[in-house]
Amino acid sequence: MLPFTYIEDDASLSELVEQYHQASVLVLDTEFVRTRTYYARLGLIQVYDGKTLALIDPLEVSDLTPFWALLQRDDLITVLHSCSEDLEVLANYGQCQPKQLFDSQIAAALCGFGHGIGYAKLVEQCLNISLDKGESRTDWIKRPLTDAQLHYAANDVEYLYQIYPQLLDKLKQSERLAWVFEEGERMTQGRLDAPDGETAYLRVKNGFQLTSQQLAYLKVLAKWRLEQALAKDLALGFVVKDHALIALAKKRPQSVSDIYKMSELTEQEKRRHAKTLVAVLKSADLQNLPQPIDVLALKPGYKSAFKAIKNCLTCIAEAADVPMELIGSKRHIHEYLQWVWEGKTSEPPLVLTGWRGELTASKLEQLSL
């Protein structure tokens, strides 16, 4: 177990960042807590450059700006494992994203370790070390952190730094290193964009059930809910749940008493939001109705077309020794089929771009859909 430096003041952070600016590779991990909040609450940042392993306490350091700036260096490779949630944390707290992102989970998949391998399993397979998972449910906001918790956190970057060269060599041999950085660039795109209230209704479960007029009501409801969630830092479901928004859009209650008659809302939601919900519903723009949400899967021929694409991509994945989930997940197939059926007029779907397109384009073009 490597010794680590615990950073809990601005001066120590500045000194650490100055050292890290000499590095070309930085291994990073974050620990956070997400229960009722819209954004995850950052509890700890682990960093290792091969010389100094540091645990940065974001609850004690008052200015993390130098560290966020470090991560945005064009020539710095930032190594994380299964980093989607880490990127969300960086976007929220640092308004930044790594320029050269190396996700070791994606890299491992392209090296033959299988799709979605967990960190502990990757450490075991690459280093023959079994990690203690005893602290995985730690409340990273609570202080003080125990020695066991700190060592657990430090392990996340110590061993990943040892694994990185192994993955790097395999990727270079297979000429797939560029694929990993391409995936990293794709994963960071749009992370700094503010949540869009105008399109929030498209992400409400079962919105496809609604008519255009009902969608107009859902649109203002979903926008209001998002604004509430952001203002109060609450997960969307802790403002009003999806099924309740759908019911409101369908029933369109005209008064507070109508709201109180609805079984889909909790008593607490009624007390807190009844008056507001009535006003929000009245603000719906019924002169400019949204288009009905087109459910591709309900169209004739969808199942057979989906199966044909999946079979084609499965053959490609097996031939290239790349996990099918990485080349053609259900969502990827759906996007491709929608693009074809809409006349190929929009931007090509993910499965046809970059390294995926190199593998798939010629084969997919031969399908009759």
Side-chain angles (χ1 to χ4, degrees), residues 114-133:
H115 176 69
I117 187 171
Y119 178 67
K121 189 172 182 181
L122 185 62
V123 169
E124 186 174 353
Q125 292 194 17
C126 289
L127 305 177
N128 199 28
I129 294 172
S130 295
L131 291 180
D132 179 7
K133 302 176 183 178

Side-chain angles (χ1 to χ4, degrees), residues 32-33 41 135 137-143 145 149:
F32 48 84
V33 174
R41 298 175 65 198
E135 304 299 332
R137 295 186 180 276
T138 286
D139 180 355
W140 295 102
I141 303 299
K142 187 178 180 180
R143 294 296 185 268
L145 295 170
Q149 290 166 342

Side-chain angles (χ1 to χ4, degrees), residues 175 179 182 316 351-362:
E175 299 183 344
W179 296 11
E182 181 186 314
I316 293 170
V351 75
L352 289 181
T353 62
W355 65 267
R356 289 181 180 82
E358 294 173 16
L359 296 176
T360 67
S362 62

Side-chain angles (χ1 to χ4, degrees), residues 160-171:
L160 188 52
Y161 189 88
Q162 297 176 39
I163 290 170
Y164 170 68
Q166 295 185 31
L167 297 176
L168 193 65
D169 287 344
K170 290 177 182 291
L171 291 164

Side-chain angles (χ1 to χ4, degrees), residues 236-340:
L236 292 173
F238 285 103
V239 181
V240 176
K241 291 184 169 50
D242 278 10
H243 76 274
L245 291 190
I246 296 293
L248 285 162
K250 286 180 176 180
K251 295 181 178 180
R252 304 188 297 282
Q254 302 295 304
S255 65
V256 169
S257 60
D258 289 341
I259 293 280
Y260 270 85
K261 293 173 187 174
M262 292 184 61
S263 60
E264 295 85 357
L265 290 162
T266 66
E267 293 305 310
Q268 186 180 57
E269 288 167 348
K270 292 171 185 177
R271 288 194 301 271
R272 286 183 177 177
H273 306 306
K275 289 183 180 179
T276 303
L277 287 170
V278 171
V280 169
L281 284 163
K282 289 179 179 177
S283 72
D285 183 0
L286 301 181
Q287 303 305 312
N288 298 287
L289 299 180
Q291 290 293 317
I293 298 174
D294 187 14
V295 183
L296 193 71
L298 298 181
K299 290 187 175 181
Y302 175 83
K303 287 185 178 180
S304 60
F306 185 96
K307 185 176 180 181
I309 299 168
K310 183 178 180 180
N311 289 341
C312 177
L313 292 177
T314 298
C315 291
I316 293 170
E318 290 175 353
D321 193 22
V322 175
M324 171 62 180
E325 299 91 340
L326 201 56
I327 287 185
S329 68
K330 183 177 180 180
R331 178 174 60 83
H332 294 157
I333 296 172
H334 184 93
E335 288 174 352
Y336 175 74
L337 184 54
Q338 187 165 28
W339 178 74
V340 171

Side-chain angles (χ1 to χ4, degrees), residues 1 27 93 111 134 154 156 163 175 179 190 202 205 228 239 268 281 284 308-309 317 329 347 365 368:
M1 176 69 202
V27 176
Y93 281 87
C111 289
D156 285 347
I163 290 170
E175 299 183 344
W179 296 11
L202 295 172
K205 187 178 180 181
Q228 289 288 303
V239 181
Q268 186 180 57
L281 284 163
I309 299 168
S329 68
E347 289 292 316
E365 284 174 5
S368 177

